[in-house]
Amino acid sequence: MMIATLALIFFGFAWGFASGKKNVFPAAIISKFEEQDFSKSAEKSELPENFSEISAQCRQASFPISDQFGNNHDPVYLPGVKGSEYNNYLIISGVDGVRQLYGANSLSNNPNNWKLVNENLKISEDYELDDGIMVNGIYYIFENGNIYEVDVPLENSSGKWNVVGHFPKELDDIGVYYDGSILHIFGEYGEYSGGYDGARLAYATSDLTFKNWNIVSTNILDPNTKPESNWGVGDPSLIVLGGRVIMITDIEGPGDPYRIALWESDGFGRNFNFAGILAAPAPGNAGYNNYRVQDGDFAVSADGQIYMFANWMDTDGNPGHKLPLFSEGWTRVVGGYHCAIDVRVAAGP
């Protein structure tokens, strides 16, 4: 038995070295994780009450965009600026805070449209990046209370980012929206006992000086509308569509792996209503979309098409954790969705 175990571990390490940067796992190792079945948990929570009439669905791409560098996670979408090589960009965090920059001329969930521009984009030493915006040709990245700025095309930005401001650290894993005069941020607030997310979302505003912060609400979104529920929520991203504020977030509960929830509000500063699950994992599937789907980021094309990019294939549930049978613990990839969201049927307040 001991010899067999040592042989299996040796094989795992040997496979890791042999596979180089490619995230290809032996079928025998993947099948080990297929034995997990989240649907049998006795502690599953009921989803929040759905008072929204919004119609929404997302079509997932067959293959991921980023699967080469290990622990691919937390995609941030940004548009190109004048002089940019591409019209659309994704910044994807990887192992030990290293970022990869991908570019595409046409916004799409098709991985063949995305090209690797820089495999070591230097922005900060942070593990992840919360969100980013572009205003008047200047890029801003938000993470861990810091706001980073650069005023050159992203493909030329490595090592040139500087801290230009701060946001309230009470809000974590924030989503950002700039409406032309006011900066709106939403972030995890309060401790969630069941995982890494927050107990609810808070909402704060500022101008672009990043000095005049006002925490408007510490409970703008509450996933626990039922007495027995126990949901954590986080990693928001938002767009404005048909006069309504549309938000996606992670949502997780005991026995319920990460999936992406849809929420809507009739305006900034107004509470959000649950509108359903937009993307969910497929337990038992040895493909890319299994076990957990999380850290979604919205993007809207020039012709109004809606896309979402998110983490897939978090098989171990411990981001960045090094598994002995996987090369360097490479357990996550980033892929895209093409979404249709119809707010014309949404009921008003």
Side-chain angles (χ1 to χ4, degrees), residues 1-12:
M1 183 69 178
M2 177 67 72
I3 294 174
T5 302
L6 290 174
L8 180 59
I9 293 174
F10 174 79
F11 170 75

Side-chain angles (χ1 to χ4, degrees), residues 284-297:
N285 181 356
Y288 286 107
N289 176 24
N290 61 350
Y291 302 107
R292 292 162 184 85
V293 175
Q294 63 189 111
D295 296 336
D297 200 43

Side-chain angles (χ1 to χ4, degrees), residues 7-250:
L8 180 59
I9 293 174
F10 174 79
F11 170 75
F13 280 114
W15 180 273
F17 286 117
S19 62
K21 283 189 173 182
K22 294 298 182 182
N23 198 353
V24 179
F25 306 146
I29 293 178
I30 289 181
S31 66
K32 170 181 171 61
F33 291 95
E34 289 181 19
E35 296 172 4
Q36 301 181 62
D37 186 353
F38 295 104
S39 65
K40 295 181 179 179
S41 171
E43 301 181 57
K44 294 169 72 68
S45 293
E46 289 187 63
L47 288 169
E49 294 175 286
N50 187 347
F51 296 112
S52 173
E53 296 182 12
I54 282 180
S55 172
Q57 61 180 359
C58 286
R59 180 172 56 84
Q60 178 191 349
S62 300
F63 297 97
I65 294 167
S66 175
D67 67 348
Q68 298 183 59
F69 299 95
N71 195 25
N72 303 262
H73 63 97
D74 290 272
V76 172
Y77 168 80
L78 288 168
V81 296
K82 185 177 180 180
S84 291
E85 183 178 357
Y86 294 96
N87 297 322
N88 306 280
Y89 292 91
L90 282 175
I91 300 173
I92 298 175
S93 294
V95 173
D96 298 328
V98 175
R99 327 278 175 209
Q100 286 80 50
L101 178 67
Y102 289 81
N105 281 321
S106 298
L107 188 57
S108 172
N109 65 337
N110 185 344
N112 294 327
N113 283 20
W114 292 91
K115 307 301 179 185
L116 180 63
V117 179
N118 189 335
E119 65 179 65
N120 188 11
L121 181 69
K122 297 183 184 301
I123 297 176
S124 73
E125 299 299 320
D126 299 295
Y127 170 74
E128 62 190 10
L129 302 175
D130 284 350
D131 205 354
I133 56 173
M134 188 273 289
V135 180
N136 298 326
I138 300 175
Y139 290 108
Y140 300 95
I141 290 287
F142 298 76
E143 170 59 34
N144 195 27
N146 295 319
I147 303 171
Y148 301 89
E149 176 193 76
V150 77
D151 60 357
V152 297
L154 288 174
E155 60 266 26
N156 302 324
S157 69
S158 187
K160 299 177 182 178
W161 296 79
N162 296 304
V163 176
V164 294
H166 304 277
F167 62 89
K169 283 194 173 183
E170 296 96 321
L171 281 67
D172 191 24
D173 273 351
I174 68 169
V176 183
Y177 188 90
Y178 182 64
D179 68 7
S181 59
I182 297 174
L183 185 70
H184 307 266
I185 69 170
F186 299 82
E188 298 171 11
Y189 191 88
E191 294 293 329
Y192 171 59
S193 60
Y196 294 101
D197 282 319
R200 54 193 182 277
L201 292 189
Y203 166 57
T205 62
S206 177
D207 52 30
L208 284 185
T209 66
F210 311 123
K211 296 179 179 178
N212 301 308
W213 289 103
N214 176 28
I215 298 179
V216 179
S217 171
T218 58
N219 193 18
I220 199 77
L221 186 155
D222 186 352
N224 294 299
T225 58
K226 298 181 179 180
E228 302 303 319
S229 66
N230 183 21
W231 293 104
V233 66
D235 293 281
S237 178
L238 56 151
I239 58 176
V240 173
L241 188 66
R244 303 187 75 79
V245 183
I246 308 299
M247 180 186 288
I248 51 175
T249 70
D250 290 349

